[in-house]
Amino acid sequence: MNGPKSSSAGSEYARQALLPEGFRDQLAPKAEHEATLVRGLIDCFLSYGYDRVAPPVVEYEQSLLVGAGATRANTMFRVMDPDTQSMMAVRADMTVQISRLAATRLSDSPRPLRLSYTGNVLRTKGSQVRPTRQFVQAGIELIGSTSLEAEFEVVKVAIEALERVGIREMSIDLTLAPLLQMIADKHALAATDRESVFEALNAKDRGALASAPAGARQEFEALLDASGTAAQALPALKKLELKGAAGQLVARLGRLLDMIAGHMPDMQITVDPCESHGFEYKSGIGFALFAKGNQSELGRGGRYLVDHPDGHAEEAAGFSVYLDSLVEALPVPVRSDKLFLPYGTSDKDAAAQRASGWRTIQGLTDEPDAAKEARRLGCSHILANGKISSV
């Protein structure tokens, strides 16, 4: 009787080890590597005065669909709250939660408000770039300042945080998503025309702009020509001689480019005024950071608006990094050295080794060949007769 039952239980347990597509168990040493990266990022954020907050994983659905959250509506898991019978959702992005905190619990806090965060986010489906559906997000938000210095601070902190955890030779790509809407408004483009034009611009498909009105087409084609290095993009944008808010946005871009180049002369800077995917809710300049030799962006940020319950909107700038992309951009971690403490090692000696930085594995049985046992347990060294030696 015991044999068949045991076999059946084993088969059931093996089936439990299967995970849904897009989810994975994070094992050593990658799990610790990711945690170390999170600590490094947060330490940098804290050093710049960004207080850490930790919103819940699940909120009422309507709270997560405000502002930027509306762009994530199709990616959120839903669940019914058994107490209130209200629909709840699992966060697919943490930025909207920080906006909620700023507009409610922290609405009376002095501005500018600096907040940092980290936590898991969950999405109903992955993408070609990010096939996983659960990953760690970390970031900062600077809320309540309209100054260009706020945007520059966010860029500077983002770059320094990534450098602290080992990223080298970064490049930054600046975007102007609101500029597309401004030009579309100027030429009174219909909603359906806007969608096709914006898709063409994102795809850098000049031919697909043929259906746009002549005046609008000419300006949108000029935006395509303006994509590239900062040195070529800014003069091309200025040639458009845009007026009003559009002209002010281009001028603001020029000042930000000067600030970045002045403080980070080795930084490679590009400008893409046609890119809007993922930047739809930005109210000003957006940016994405890349590491040399890595095609996926490490993180993105920019200026946006925080909507308050009384109807007014507050300027903010922020940055988010996804740890799966960060891990892929860094060397594969190696397992840490571990010190085997043979059976009978005193607590005092064991504590002394841990205090000196060793990770210890305590032998639980008196083995005739302690070195063999150390190797079996994956230890690199052993403590024997008061001395440490490799195994």
Side-chain angles (χ1 to χ4, degrees):
M1 296 290 290
N2 289 340
K5 283 186 178 180
S6 177
S7 176
S8 175
S11 298
E12 182 61 29
Y13 194 79
R15 285 193 290 272
Q16 292 175 7
L18 295 175
L19 297 174
E21 184 178 354
F23 295 89
R24 67 175 185 272
D25 292 315
Q26 193 77 291
L27 305 178
K30 287 187 175 181
E32 183 177 348
H33 184 219
E34 186 173 89
T36 300
L37 294 177
V38 169
R39 286 195 295 269
L41 293 171
I42 289 295
D43 285 346
C44 181
F45 300 158
L46 293 175
S47 73
Y48 276 89
Y50 286 80
D51 294 330
R52 186 171 182 174
V53 294
V57 176
V58 176
E59 293 193 30
Y60 287 119
E61 180 184 39
Q62 62 267 28
S63 297
L64 292 174
L65 292 176
V66 175
T71 64
R72 299 290 187 191
N74 295 330
T75 67
M76 294 191 302
F77 282 94
R78 267 80 166 181
V79 61
M80 181 70 72
D81 183 354
D83 290 333
T84 65
Q85 299 300 302
S86 297
M87 189 62 70
M88 301 189 300
V90 181
R91 66 187 180 204
D93 187 273
M94 293 185 69
T95 303
V96 66
Q97 293 184 296
I98 308 305
S99 296
R100 175 184 59 77
L101 287 175
T104 55
R105 301 283 299 278
L106 300 175
S107 62
D108 294 329
S109 297
R111 263 46 176 178
L113 181 64
R114 290 175 169 86
L115 302 176
S116 63
Y117 59 89
T118 182
N120 277 280
V121 295
L122 192 66
R123 295 181 182 174
T124 55
K125 56 185 177 182
S127 64
Q128 188 173 7
V129 175
R130 180 170 286 111
T132 55
R133 294 196 282 169
Q134 177 183 335
F135 39 86
V136 176
Q137 181 183 4
I140 57 172
E141 308 298 332
L142 201 167
I143 300 160
S145 174
T146 61
S147 73
L148 184 62
E149 283 71 16
E151 280 149 294
F152 177 67
E153 178 176 302
V154 168
V155 170
K156 182 173 64 174
V157 175
I159 291 172
E160 182 174 324
L162 292 173
E163 288 178 339
R164 279 201 195 186
V165 298
I167 298 295
R168 299 291 180 266
E169 297 187 76
M170 272 178 280
S171 64
I172 183 170
D173 185 48
L174 301 176
T175 63
L176 298 170
L179 187 59
L180 304 184
Q181 292 287 358
M182 293 174 185
I183 294 176
D185 289 343
K186 173 183 173 182
H187 295 280
L189 291 188
T192 53
D193 292 333
R194 290 179 190 229
E195 184 176 351
S196 61
V197 165
F198 292 172
E199 285 296 329
L201 291 171
N202 279 303
K204 308 298 184 287
D205 186 353
R206 185 182 298 267
L209 294 173
S211 59
R217 184 173 68 250
Q218 187 176 15
E219 290 194 346
F220 286 131
E221 288 177 345
L223 291 186
L224 286 174
D225 294 333
S227 298
T229 65
Q232 71 184 63
L234 189 60
L237 287 170
K238 288 182 176 179
K239 283 183 179 179
L240 287 170
E241 298 183 348
L242 298 169
K243 307 298 182 183
Q248 293 170 12
L249 183 58
V250 171
R252 191 179 183 94
L253 171 67
R255 296 196 299 273
L256 181 59
L257 287 172
D258 288 341
M259 294 173 76
I260 296 174
H263 288 79
M264 296 168 254
D266 296 329
M267 178 65 61
Q268 180 181 338
I269 311 172
T270 57
V271 177
D272 188 350
C274 301
E275 181 64 49
S276 61
H277 279 324
F279 295 96
E280 292 88 351
Y281 69 94
K282 298 299 183 189
S283 62
I285 300 169
F287 70 92
L289 290 170
F290 298 83
K292 184 178 180 180
N294 193 277
Q295 293 184 340
S296 299
E297 64 184 31
L298 298 177
R300 60 171 53 190
R303 184 164 287 278
Y304 63 99
L305 297 175
V306 173
D307 295 318
H308 283 251
D310 62 4
H312 87 277
E314 186 176 24
E315 293 277 354
F319 165 78
S320 289
V321 57
Y322 296 112
L323 270 294
D324 57 338
S325 295
L326 188 53
V327 167
E328 290 298 321
L330 291 168
V332 177
V334 296
R335 289 183 179 270
S336 301
D337 289 344
K338 294 178 182 176
L339 176 65
F340 183 72
L341 305 177
Y343 180 79
T345 300
S346 70
D347 290 343
K348 180 180 178 181
D349 288 344
Q353 298 303 331
R354 286 190 289 272
S356 66
W358 280 103
R359 298 185 179 191
T360 63
I361 297 293
Q362 178 64 58
L364 302 178
T365 57
D366 188 7
E367 299 292 332
D369 189 339
K372 180 179 179 181
E373 179 69 357
R375 288 191 293 270
R376 187 184 72 82
L377 294 175
C379 295
S380 58
H381 294 76
I382 186 172
L383 177 67
N385 299 320
K387 295 182 178 180
I388 296 174
S389 57
S390 59
V391 295

